[in-house]
Amino acid sequence: MLRKAFSLLSFAVLPGVVSAQDIAAGRCATPDSIAVRGNRRVDVGTILATAALVPGTQLNYRILQRAIRDLFETGNFETVDLTCDETRSPDRAVLVFAVSERPLLEGVQVRGVNRLSERQIRDLAEIPTARPLDAATVTRAIFRIDSTYEKAGYYLARVRAETTVVNEGSVGLTFTVEEGRRLALSGVRVIGNTHVPAADIAGAMKTRPEGFWFFRTGEISDAEYAADLSERIPALYASRGFIDFRVAKDTLYLDRERGKALLELTVVEGPQYKVGDFEVIGGRHFSDEEIQAYYPFENAPRPLSSRISGFLLRRTPVPVDVFDQARWEDATNQVRQAYANDGYIYSQVQPIVERRVTPDSTHYVDLRWEVEEGAPAVINRIEIVGNDYTTESCIRDQLIILPGDVFNQQRLIQSWQSIGNLGFFETPIPPPDTRRVNDQGDIDLVFRVKEKRTGNVNFGASMGQGTGFGGFIGLDQPNLFGLCKRGSLQWQFGRYFNDFNLTYSDPRIRQSMISGSVTLYRTMARYYIADLGRSLRTGGQMQVGLPVPFDIWTRVFVSYAGEGVRFGDQGLLGETGSLYGDNSFRSSLGITLTRDTRIGTPFPTAGGSHSLSVSFTGGPLGGTAAFQRYTTETSAYVPIGQIGGDRPGSQPMVVVAGLTTRAGAVSGNTGPFFFSQEFALGGVQYGERLRGYEEFSITPDGYLIGTSTYNAQRSSFGKAFFATTAELGLRISQGLYANTFFEAGNVWRRAREINPTRLFRSLGIGASVITPFGPLGLDYAYGMDRLDITGRRAPKWQLHFRFGQIF
C-alpha cells in the first residue's frame, strides 16, 4: 500500500504541487471515501458535516482549505491535518482528517490576588467552563488582567496561566498573579520648556512624585495622567499666553527592581500671545458698554487670590497684557450667565480668538464676542414631581420664580436652594429640568424631589448612680400634615430636671406671608454643675414673623414672652430667691431681624445667616425687673472643595470654611432673671459657648484660678459678651459633620467695657451627628489661656459633650 500525505500548508500555499502530482495524486483528488482519525469527544458525523465533503467530489486546494477552516472555527480542535491513503488493490483513495481535540475546561482558579478580588479576575478572564480551552482566549485574558493592574498603578504585576489535567480530555486552568509593589513616581523631567519652570508644570499635575508626607505616595492613575497631559498642563500654559502649546512626547521609564518610575515630558511651548483688539458683535439686549464691563483684560489688576498664591509659592507674576485663556473663558461664561438671568437662555455667545503676528514678530490675539440673542424664554408651567406627603402648595411657597415670569437663572437657583433647605427631601435635590413647549421658546420647569422621613417619636429611660431614674418622651414633626407646619412635644424627667415643652409654628398663617409660633413650657432644673441651684420656670411665648419687601431671605419677628420663676433655697439661685422674693415674673416684648441664606442645613455648606434681636422687659409691660437685652449673631460659610460625588445620584463630602461672630449686651437691672438673661461664658452646657474651658470659669474679672471646680456666683455673669469661631469642616453627609476650630471670647460687666483685643482663646476638633433623639456632638478643645493655681499660664485640653437643644 502506498501512502501520500499532504499538510494544510501544501493545499493552502502550494496548490501547484497538488495539480502536478502523478496519477496517484490525481487519484486522491477524487477520493472514494473520507475518514476521520484522532477524535474522541466529537463524533465522526459532526466532523464530516462540518467539513461538508462527500466521496467522489472533485477536490482542489480551495475546497480543502475551506473544510479545514470550518473545522478550526468550531473551537474543538488543536490541529487538523489532511492525508490521502491510496491502495492499488483494490484501487482506492481515502481522504483522512487527522484531528487533535482541545481539552474541555473543567474550572478556573485564581491565586496570589490581594489588591483585587478573585471574582473580579475571573470576570476579567471571560473564559467559559465546560467548553474547549483555546490558547488565544487565555492570552487575551492575561492581557485584560495585566491591563487592569496597570490601571490600578501596579505596573510590576505578572500574570501567568497554567493547566492541570483533571481527567482524560479535561483540564483545570489556574491564573497565578504576582502583584508586586505599587509603582511610585519618583520624579518628573521636562524637556523643551523655556518660559514655564518644570516645578510649575509638576505642580499643575495631579500625577505627582512621591514625597515626605504620607499622602504623597506617587501613585499613577491612568485617568488622572491622561487629564494632566490633555487638560491641566495645557491650561497652565494657556493661562500664560502659550495657547499653541502641546505635549510632543511622554515616556515612563520603569525601574522594576525598585518599583519606581521616572516621567519624561517633551513639550513644545510655542509663542506667547499678548492681548490685541477687542469687539462685540450682535448684542442688542445689552449695550456694548454693559458687555464690555465683563471684558477681563482692560485695566484689570491681578486677583487677590492670584497675588497671595504667587507670593507664597514664589511664582513670577504674569504680565497683565499677556492673554489668559482661563480668564477669557470665565468672562465668556459670565456674559452667558447675564443673558440667562434676563431670560435669554437660547442665546449664543461665541468667544472668537484670532491670532496675528506683527512685523516685529510679536504675537497677538484679537478677541471678539459674537452674540446671537434669540427671543427671551417665558415660563409656561412649573411642575413638582415626587412629593408623596408634602403638599404642593407648601413647596410652591419656596419658589421665587413663577409661571408667566421671564426666565431668570439666578432666581431659579434660589428657588431650588429654598426647596432643599426645607429639610423634607433627600439632598442634593436634582437640578430642575427645563422643557421647551413651543416655537417661541417658552419653557416648563420641573422640580424633582424625593421624600425623606422627617418626624419622629422617641422615648427612653435610664438609671444611674447619683442621678437616679430618668427618662424622656418626645414627638417632633417639622412637616405636620405635609403643610410645612411644625409641632413638637418634649417631656424629660429625672432627679435633676423635669422639663415639659410644647411648640407649634406655622410658616404661612392662612396662606399669607405671615408666620407665627406659640411655645408653652414648664421647666424644673436643679443645676448640679457649678452649684447654681434649683429653679422652676413656667411661661410661654408668642411670635409673629413678617416678610421684608423685595427680599425673600429677610424677615422681622415680633414676640411677647411671659415667664414666672420660683427658686429653691440652695446655691446661687437660692440666694437670689431670698433677695428678690420667692416668686418673680418677667414680661418681655421682642423684635428680631433675621436674614438666612444658608444652604444644606443643619450643617451648611454655603451662604450665611445674620440676626439682630432686641427685647424690652418690665417698665410699662410690668414684671419684677426692667431691662433691655440686645444680641446679634452672624455667620458665613464658603465651600472650598469636595470629595467624591462624581457619579450621578451620589452625594459629595464637602470641605467648608466658616466664620461665626456672636455678641450681646444688657442694659438695666435684670434682678432675679440674671441667670437666664445675662451672659455666662465657658464650656458648652450653660450660657455662651467657649470650648476648652470649664463652665463659669470665665468671668468679668477674668479667668478663675485656684480650683478645678468652678461654682456659679453672681459675679460669674456679665452684661456684655463677645465670641467668635473660625472653623474648617468636612460635611460627610446630611447627618454627620467633623471640623477643626479656633474660638475666642470674653464676658464683661458692662457694655462699655467690651474690648475685642482681650479674648480667651481655644482651638480643637469636633464631630457632630444627627440622631433620632436630637443632635449629638463631641468636642476636644485646647484652652490656650487657662491658668494654674499660681496664676501662670497652664494650657489644657478639655472634652465637651453636647446634646439636644444645647447644641
Side-chain angles (χ1 to χ4, degrees):
M1 180 174 59
L2 300 177
R3 182 181 183 189
K4 294 183 180 179
F6 300 95
S7 66
L8 174 63
L9 184 61
S10 300
F11 287 106
V13 183
L14 301 174
V17 175
V18 177
S19 62
Q21 295 297 323
D22 54 83
I23 298 175
R27 184 74 184 87
C28 288
T30 55
D32 296 285
S33 61
I34 301 175
V36 178
R37 296 175 183 168
N39 61 308
R40 294 185 178 180
R41 186 180 70 255
V42 185
D43 60 86
V44 174
T46 301
I47 297 175
L48 294 179
T50 303
L53 298 179
V54 296
T57 302
Q58 181 68 39
L59 302 179
N60 56 43
Y61 79 95
R62 290 188 178 88
I63 295 175
L64 295 175
Q65 188 181 45
R66 177 196 53 76
I68 295 173
R69 185 191 63 225
D70 291 346
L71 288 173
F72 271 115
E73 287 180 350
T74 63
N76 288 316
F77 308 106
E78 190 71 34
T79 62
V80 177
D81 293 326
L82 279 180
T83 62
C84 182
D85 294 347
E86 186 180 40
T87 60
R88 296 197 180 275
S89 181
D91 187 10
R92 292 177 59 84
V94 180
L95 182 66
V96 180
F97 285 91
V99 298
S100 174
E101 294 178 338
R102 289 175 178 168
L104 290 178
L105 179 60
E106 189 76 17
V108 178
Q109 294 184 352
V110 178
R111 295 177 181 174
V113 174
N114 294 315
R115 308 294 181 181
L116 304 178
S117 67
E118 293 186 8
R119 180 176 180 180
Q120 184 178 2
I121 297 298
R122 289 194 184 92
D123 293 341
L124 288 170
E126 296 182 354
I127 300 179
T129 57
R131 298 282 298 276
L133 181 61
D134 181 9
T137 304
V138 176
T139 302
R140 289 192 295 269
I142 293 176
F143 176 78
R144 284 192 294 268
I145 296 170
D146 188 65
S147 299
T148 302
Y149 271 99
E150 283 191 5
K151 289 181 180 179
Y154 294 93
Y155 288 81
L156 307 180
R158 295 290 181 268
V159 183
R160 68 176 188 273
E162 299 174 341
T163 58
T164 56
V165 177
V166 177
N167 51 51
E168 186 177 2
S170 62
V171 296
L173 180 63
T174 302
F175 288 99
T176 303
V177 182
E178 297 177 6
E179 294 178 329
R181 68 181 70 179
R182 195 183 189 95
L183 186 68
L185 186 65
S186 61
V188 177
R189 181 167 61 204
V190 184
I191 300 174
N193 60 311
T194 57
H195 296 86
V196 178
D200 290 358
I201 297 175
M205 301 171 62
K206 284 195 174 182
T207 305
R208 296 186 178 182
E210 59 184 348
F212 172 78
W213 300 106
F214 68 92
F215 53 82
R216 290 288 300 273
T217 61
E219 177 181 340
I220 300 176
S221 167
D222 284 355
E224 296 292 358
Y225 180 55
D228 288 336
L229 299 184
S230 62
E231 300 174 11
R232 299 187 184 99
I233 300 178
L236 170 66
Y237 269 92
S239 68
R240 304 187 182 189
F242 298 93
I243 56 178
D244 294 335
F245 166 86
R246 61 187 177 88
V247 178
K249 182 181 178 182
D250 63 291
T251 307
L252 198 64
Y253 296 98
L254 303 182
D255 183 348
R256 297 187 181 275
E257 295 297 328
R258 299 174 56 234
K260 307 292 183 181
L262 173 66
L263 176 60
E264 182 180 273
L265 299 177
T266 302
V267 301
V268 178
E269 293 182 327
Q272 187 179 50
Y273 288 85
K274 295 183 178 181
V275 178
D277 299 330
F278 169 71
E279 63 177 336
V280 180
I281 297 177
R284 296 187 304 273
H285 179 71
F286 294 111
S287 66
D288 290 347
E289 291 75 15
E290 289 175 317
I291 297 182
Q292 286 177 358
Y294 295 98
Y295 182 62
F297 301 114
E298 188 172 25
N299 300 323
R302 292 177 62 207
L304 178 61
S305 59
S306 175
R307 283 181 283 173
I308 294 175
S309 62
F311 173 77
L312 295 176
L313 300 176
R314 299 183 178 180
R315 293 176 178 170
T316 303
V318 180
V320 294
D321 61 340
V322 170
F323 178 65
D324 185 339
Q325 182 74 35
R327 290 176 62 189
W328 173 244
E329 292 175 354
D330 289 343
T332 302
N333 290 331
Q334 291 177 18
V335 176
R336 292 169 177 161
Q337 184 68 39
Y339 272 101
N341 285 342
D342 278 13
Y344 291 85
I345 62 175
Y346 304 111
S347 63
Q348 300 291 328
V349 180
Q350 298 294 336
I352 306 301
V353 178
E354 295 181 345
R355 297 166 172 81
R356 64 180 170 92
V357 183
T358 60
D360 61 353
S361 298
T362 303
H363 290 72
Y364 286 92
V365 288
D366 294 332
L367 305 176
R368 182 171 69 252
W369 278 324
E370 295 183 354
V371 181
E372 296 181 9
E373 293 179 346
V378 176
I379 298 175
N380 179 57
R381 295 177 55 193
I382 298 179
E383 299 180 9
I384 310 295
V385 179
N387 55 314
D388 300 324
Y389 177 73
T390 306
T391 59
E392 188 166 311
S393 61
C394 176
I395 302 175
R396 290 186 180 274
D397 289 341
Q398 307 303 314
L399 301 179
I400 60 173
I401 189 169
L402 302 173
D405 291 347
V406 174
F407 179 85
N408 185 290
Q409 182 75 20
Q410 188 63 35
R411 291 167 62 190
L412 176 64
I413 294 175
Q414 292 175 348
S415 300
W416 173 65
Q417 293 173 348
S418 296
I419 295 175
N421 285 342
L422 283 173
F424 307 152
F425 311 108
E426 293 185 2
T427 58
I429 294 175
D433 299 330
T434 58
R435 185 172 59 210
R436 188 167 182 169
V437 296
N438 54 37
D439 296 336
Q440 287 73 36
D442 296 344
I443 60 172
D444 290 342
L445 297 180
V446 181
F447 291 87
R448 303 183 184 278
V449 297
K450 185 177 181 180
E451 301 270 10
K452 71 175 184 180
R453 185 181 64 85
T454 54
N456 60 77
V457 178
N458 51 75
F459 55 88
S462 64
M463 176 69 73
Q465 183 177 3
T467 62
F469 175 80
F472 62 90
I473 299 174
L475 170 64
D476 183 40
Q477 176 52 270
N479 189 15
L480 199 62
F481 311 120
L483 298 173
C484 295
K485 307 177 190 297
R486 185 184 189 99
S488 175
L489 171 65
Q490 298 288 336
W491 179 34
Q492 302 181 60
F493 53 88
R495 179 177 179 180
Y496 295 107
F497 57 91
N498 196 315
D499 185 0
F500 178 84
N501 187 293
L502 177 64
T503 300
Y504 173 78
S505 62
D506 188 343
R508 299 285 298 270
I509 299 177
R510 301 179 67 87
Q511 298 302 310
S512 68
M513 297 299 294
I514 300 175
S515 63
S517 65
V518 177
T519 300
L520 301 174
Y521 60 88
R522 188 177 188 276
T523 301
M524 187 281 290
R526 178 182 176 185
Y527 297 98
Y528 57 90
I529 59 168
D531 194 26
L532 184 58
R534 187 179 65 183
S535 70
L536 175 62
R537 301 167 55 201
T538 304
Q541 175 179 286
M542 293 189 303
Q543 179 174 270
V544 176
L546 305 172
V548 174
F550 311 112
D551 190 346
I552 65 168
W553 311 110
T554 305
R555 295 184 72 84
V556 175
F557 296 91
V558 180
S559 63
Y560 174 79
E563 180 183 74
V565 182
R566 300 183 62 182
F567 303 109
D569 54 3
Q570 296 180 348
L572 178 59
L573 297 181
E575 298 174 5
T576 303
S578 62
L579 181 63
Y580 290 97
D582 187 50
N583 197 356
S584 301
F585 182 74
R586 175 174 64 90
S587 178
S588 300
L589 178 66
I591 301 176
T592 301
L593 177 66
T594 67
R595 176 177 172 81
D596 192 348
T597 59
R598 292 175 298 172
I599 300 173
T601 54
F603 304 121
T605 58
S609 66
H610 315 276
S611 68
L612 175 64
S613 298
V614 181
S615 66
F616 304 92
T617 301
L621 300 174
T624 308
F627 59 92
Q628 301 82 47
R629 192 172 193 265
Y630 309 88
T631 59
T632 181
E633 180 173 351
T634 180
S635 60
Y637 303 91
V638 177
I640 58 177
Q642 73 175 44
I643 303 173
D646 299 326
R647 294 177 300 174
S650 62
Q651 181 178 358
M653 295 187 291
V654 182
V655 182
V656 183
L659 180 64
T660 301
T661 300
R662 297 168 285 126
V666 172
S667 175
N669 183 10
T670 56
F673 304 105
F674 71 89
F675 76 99
S676 62
Q677 299 300 302
E678 292 188 10
F679 308 105
L681 191 66
V684 299
Q685 298 185 50
Y686 187 88
E688 303 301 330
R689 182 184 71 188
L690 186 62
R691 291 165 287 190
Y693 297 87
E694 294 279 1
E695 310 289 332
F696 301 104
S697 61
I698 298 175
T699 73
D701 296 321
Y703 182 79
L704 290 180
I705 60 175
T707 178
S708 60
T709 303
Y710 302 93
N711 291 335
Q713 304 174 8
R714 184 65 181 87
S715 59
S716 302
F717 294 80
K719 291 187 176 181
F721 89 99
F722 175 85
T724 185
T725 303
E727 64 178 302
L728 181 65
L730 176 63
R731 185 181 186 267
I732 301 172
S733 66
Q734 287 180 268
L736 183 59
Y737 179 76
N739 69 335
T740 178
F741 58 84
F742 173 82
E743 282 189 333
N746 204 348
V747 59
W748 294 271
R749 189 166 283 106
R750 289 173 290 274
R752 63 173 178 267
E753 298 176 0
I754 293 179
N755 182 4
T757 64
R758 296 288 297 171
L759 303 177
F760 293 89
R761 303 162 299 166
S762 69
L763 54 86
I765 58 176
S768 305
V769 61
I770 302 299
T771 71
F773 312 109
L776 174 67
L778 286 175
D779 297 299
Y780 195 47
Y782 185 71
M784 303 170 63
D785 298 308
R786 296 173 68 134
L787 305 176
D788 62 12
I789 194 172
T790 63
R792 297 177 180 177
R793 291 192 58 189
K796 183 180 178 182
W797 287 96
Q798 179 83 25
L799 181 65
H800 300 281
F801 175 80
R802 296 172 287 134
F803 181 74
Q805 298 299 326
I806 61 175
F807 203 112

